[in-house]
Amino acid sequence: MKLNLRLQGQYMLVTFSLAVVMTLTSAAVHLWLSSNHSERLLQELTIQNSKAFRTELSKRASQMSTYLAEAMFDPLYMYNLEEAGYLIEPLLQMEELEHLVIFDRKGNVFHDGDPSLQHLGKPLNFAVDVNQVITNGKPIHMFRESSLVVVRPIRAADETIGGIYLEMSLDKVDKEISAMASLIEATNERSQDALYVGVLAAAILLLSLSGLMAAIISRRWSRPLVQLTKQAESIGRGDFKLAQTMNSEERQDEIGNLTLAVQSMATKLEHRTQKISHLAYHDALTDLPNRTRFIQHLQGTIKSYPATSFSVLFLDLDEFKVVNDNYGHDSGDFLLMRIAEKLTRSAREITNDHPLTMISRIGGDEFLMLIPHLKTTEDVDAVVKKIFLAVRSPILMENEELVVGGSIGVARYPQNGKTAEDLIKNADIAMYRAKADGKNTHMVFTPKMFKSVVHRANIERELRRSLSDLQQFELWFQPLVCLKTGRVMGAESLVRWRHPSWVLFLLVTLSRLPKKRL
């Protein structure tokens, strides 16, 4: 019959049976060695647990700040407080998060999660030199006494437009470390108490064999502690599999309970890490891959299948702002989710669920698509036609059928670019050209479009500069003459821009520039 004894019962049974051969000397040596060895193992396990918990928190904070640095570029660049608040709202629900602030290139608060925006434009009130991050473009990652602080710049290419201040409390980590240390210490104290009482009681009769048997018991105690130390180290490295391989059913005592507790902790940490990783590479609203994941997939496709022809499609919904204004942002979100479902279903049907196919929402009402095996212009036209049919199919919203359109820009690989950045940029340029040609259509990128974009950017830049010198603008009056009588009936006032180096710009030339860019 197998006895399921706790540590104290196992020790008392063994030491009582072998007490006849113990000596006072071996008992004293054993007590000293066992105590010293247990304290050393306890100290090492506590240190490793502390490192593991802090390393995991640091990794999560780094992933969170990296995700925000990429996701916040457009809202900060376009000064879109609403989108910024929408992106950081889910993260503010984390109980470990103490402060999350998005700041601009001057170190002033852009968004801190407060709906009232009462700190907007105010300097950061934290003891961190954010100017160093903005100037050098390098993140700050440091532990304080009670928190972890991460300051990461928001960059695109070589330009830093702001940054993210992320502070996570160490209270929960410290509590978990303290609880783990208390559990281990309590187990060790109970084991040590049982060891002392048994050895001292048995040493009176049988002292010669007490050292050997106590060493065996001590080894049985230390073995699971060593395994737990290795387990804590593996958790710190992000390897959660070792925690699941430890069999706690072999022990029905406190160490078995401790093993179960560590396994439960590892499982929760693994699920939390997977959730954060998913948020870092997927859109929170539609669950589609985000821009970062799309670029990774596109780069991997180019590297692994350089001879495969495919196209990158850039879709921008037309008049989406009207839907938000008329129906509200909740309805706008509902519309985006339905559009995402339509695009995903349409892409799978078009490509027969090809593994290289990917649909991504990169922000707002913009989507990126990778469609393989489009070798000719006719192939592109046929695919775009099917996508338009899917997008324009009616959507039932608030008892109304809503139809939305879109403009699509197409960049073909390798004709229109051989890198992920070039393909996305050129597809974006082609999309804007499609919008300029009347919307609800598509355009395939050509080099001429790029020259037009460069020329347009030069005009915009010079126009911004000229606003500081209003003498470059002239007020002209154009008479309105009656053709029957020849009399002047009135005049039309017009503004002309006389650039120092260029010809006189007509009003129609300036009116083509987007007002939101000026």
Side-chain angles (χ1 to χ4, degrees):
M1 180 177 178
K2 184 178 179 180
L3 297 177
N4 293 325
L5 298 176
R6 296 264 180 177
L7 285 177
Q8 185 175 0
Q10 295 174 20
Y11 168 74
M12 292 182 64
L13 178 62
V14 173
T15 53
F16 179 78
S17 301
L18 301 177
V20 290
V21 291
M22 288 185 175
T23 63
L24 291 174
T25 304
S26 63
V29 171
H30 166 69
L31 289 174
W32 180 82
L33 290 175
S34 178
S35 176
N36 187 50
H37 185 59
S38 297
E39 289 179 2
R40 185 168 63 253
L41 286 175
L42 178 61
Q43 183 179 7
E44 181 181 356
L45 180 59
T46 302
I47 294 174
Q48 292 298 330
N49 276 332
S50 177
K51 290 181 179 179
F53 287 135
R54 286 176 175 253
T55 300
E56 180 59 27
L57 181 65
S58 178
K59 183 186 299 183
R60 288 165 49 205
S62 179
Q63 290 177 343
M64 190 186 306
S65 64
T66 301
Y67 159 71
L68 285 175
E70 295 171 350
M72 281 293 172
F73 178 83
D74 286 344
L76 181 57
Y77 185 80
M78 303 301 297
Y79 209 77
N80 191 337
L81 293 170
E82 180 180 348
E83 185 174 353
Y86 177 77
L87 289 172
I88 68 176
E89 182 180 1
L91 302 178
L92 296 175
Q93 308 303 320
M94 299 178 62
E95 60 182 2
E96 303 101 322
L97 190 64
E98 285 193 351
H99 299 289
L100 175 57
V101 181
I102 313 300
F103 57 88
D104 58 21
R105 67 180 68 199
K106 296 181 180 180
N108 297 328
V109 175
F110 171 68
H111 209 301
D112 60 356
D114 186 358
S116 66
L117 300 177
Q118 61 179 340
H119 298 113
L120 178 64
K122 296 182 180 180
L124 280 178
N125 190 21
F126 300 107
V128 177
D129 186 9
V130 298
N131 292 326
Q132 179 183 352
V133 175
I134 296 174
T135 302
N136 299 333
K138 296 181 179 179
I140 295 177
H141 199 106
M142 63 181 180
F143 279 97
R144 292 180 173 173
E145 181 177 355
S146 60
S147 64
L148 168 63
V149 174
V150 177
V151 184
R152 185 176 295 277
I154 299 177
R155 295 171 57 86
D158 295 327
E159 180 184 6
T160 300
I161 64 171
I164 296 168
Y165 178 89
L166 178 68
E167 185 172 356
M168 302 186 74
S169 174
L170 296 179
D171 291 343
K172 185 175 180 180
V173 173
D174 291 340
K175 288 179 181 178
E176 291 177 346
I177 294 174
S178 178
M180 185 66 66
S182 299
L183 182 59
I184 297 172
E185 186 176 0
T187 302
N188 185 63
E189 288 179 357
R190 286 193 294 270
S191 300
Q192 290 296 320
D193 291 341
L195 177 63
Y196 295 152
V197 173
V199 169
L200 291 176
I204 299 175
L205 299 175
L206 306 168
L207 301 178
S208 59
L209 295 179
S210 62
L212 176 61
M213 300 310 299
I216 295 174
I217 296 176
S218 177
R219 184 179 179 183
R220 177 168 173 77
W221 290 339
S222 63
R223 183 178 298 170
L225 295 178
V226 172
Q227 291 178 340
L228 287 174
T229 301
K230 294 179 180 179
Q231 182 180 354
E233 292 175 348
S234 69
I235 294 174
R237 295 191 300 268
D239 180 10
F240 302 98
K241 295 182 179 179
L242 180 61
Q244 307 303 328
T245 58
M246 293 187 64
N247 189 359
S248 60
E249 296 181 356
E250 294 180 355
R251 301 190 67 107
Q252 304 297 325
D253 51 24
E254 291 85 349
I255 293 181
N257 295 337
L258 176 60
T259 303
L260 287 174
V262 174
Q263 288 177 342
S264 175
M265 177 198 66
T267 301
K268 293 177 181 178
L269 287 175
E270 183 178 12
H271 291 167
R272 192 175 301 174
T273 301
Q274 291 174 349
K275 183 177 181 181
I276 292 176
S277 179
H278 184 81
L279 288 174
Y281 294 103
H282 288 78
D283 176 54
L285 177 64
T286 63
D287 204 37
L288 290 176
N290 59 17
R291 186 185 187 94
T292 301
R293 181 69 188 92
F294 185 86
I295 291 175
Q296 289 179 349
H297 178 70
L298 185 53
Q299 290 173 338
T301 301
I302 295 172
K303 182 178 180 180
S304 302
Y305 307 96
T308 300
S309 60
F310 61 86
S311 295
V312 173
L313 281 63
F314 197 119
L315 168 65
D316 184 89
L317 300 180
D318 295 330
E319 307 301 337
F320 177 72
K321 184 176 183 300
V322 176
V323 177
N324 277 337
D325 293 341
N326 292 341
Y327 296 93
H329 290 282
D330 290 340
S331 298
D333 291 345
F334 175 81
L335 176 65
L336 289 174
M337 289 188 289
R338 298 290 81 79
I339 292 294
E341 293 174 359
K342 290 182 177 183
L343 290 175
T344 302
R345 186 165 52 251
S346 176
R348 288 177 177 174
E349 293 175 355
I350 292 171
T351 64
N352 293 323
D353 207 10
H354 195 281
L356 295 183
T357 304
M358 177 173 282
I359 309 297
S360 168
R361 179 180 177 233
I362 62 175
D365 56 350
E366 295 179 336
F367 297 84
L368 280 172
M369 292 170 277
L370 190 155
I371 307 296
H373 304 311
L374 299 183
K375 298 181 180 180
T376 65
T377 304
E378 290 74 14
D379 294 338
V380 173
D381 293 341
V383 167
V384 170
K385 183 178 180 181
K386 293 179 181 179
I387 293 175
F388 273 137
L389 287 175
V391 172
R392 293 170 184 167
S393 60
I395 297 175
L396 184 62
M397 186 167 61
E398 297 184 3
N399 297 323
E400 295 184 20
E401 286 191 348
L402 185 65
V403 178
V404 295
S407 301
I408 296 179
V410 182
R412 299 170 59 193
Y413 173 85
Q415 295 93 328
N416 303 138
K418 296 184 178 180
T419 66
E421 292 76 10
D422 287 344
L423 288 170
I424 294 175
K425 177 188 67 177
N426 293 338
D428 190 11
I429 291 173
M431 182 273 295
Y432 276 106
R433 181 59 182 269
K435 278 189 176 292
D437 285 355
K439 301 182 180 180
N440 279 309
T441 185
H442 77 281
M443 294 291 293
V444 179
F445 176 81
T446 62
K448 186 177 179 180
M449 293 181 186
F450 182 75
K451 294 179 181 179
S452 175
V453 169
V454 173
H455 177 68
R456 182 173 176 170
N458 290 334
I459 295 177
E460 291 181 10
R461 183 181 65 253
E462 291 299 322
L463 182 56
R464 291 191 190 94
R465 293 177 178 176
S466 66
L467 293 177
S468 61
D469 182 13
L470 297 180
Q471 293 182 359
Q472 295 185 24
F473 297 94
E474 300 177 359
L475 181 62
W476 287 33
F477 293 94
Q478 180 172 298
L480 302 177
V481 180
C482 179
L483 296 179
K484 291 184 178 181
T485 63
R487 296 178 58 187
V488 177
M489 306 300 296
E492 179 183 9
S493 60
L494 301 172
V495 175
R496 297 291 190 267
W497 176 28
R498 189 178 297 278
H499 190 273
S501 305
W502 297 346
V503 298
L504 183 67
F505 274 86
L506 301 178
L507 180 62
V508 66
T509 303
L510 300 181
S511 66
R512 294 194 183 108
L513 298 178
K515 296 180 177 57
K516 65 182 181 179
R517 291 189 177 185
L518 302 178

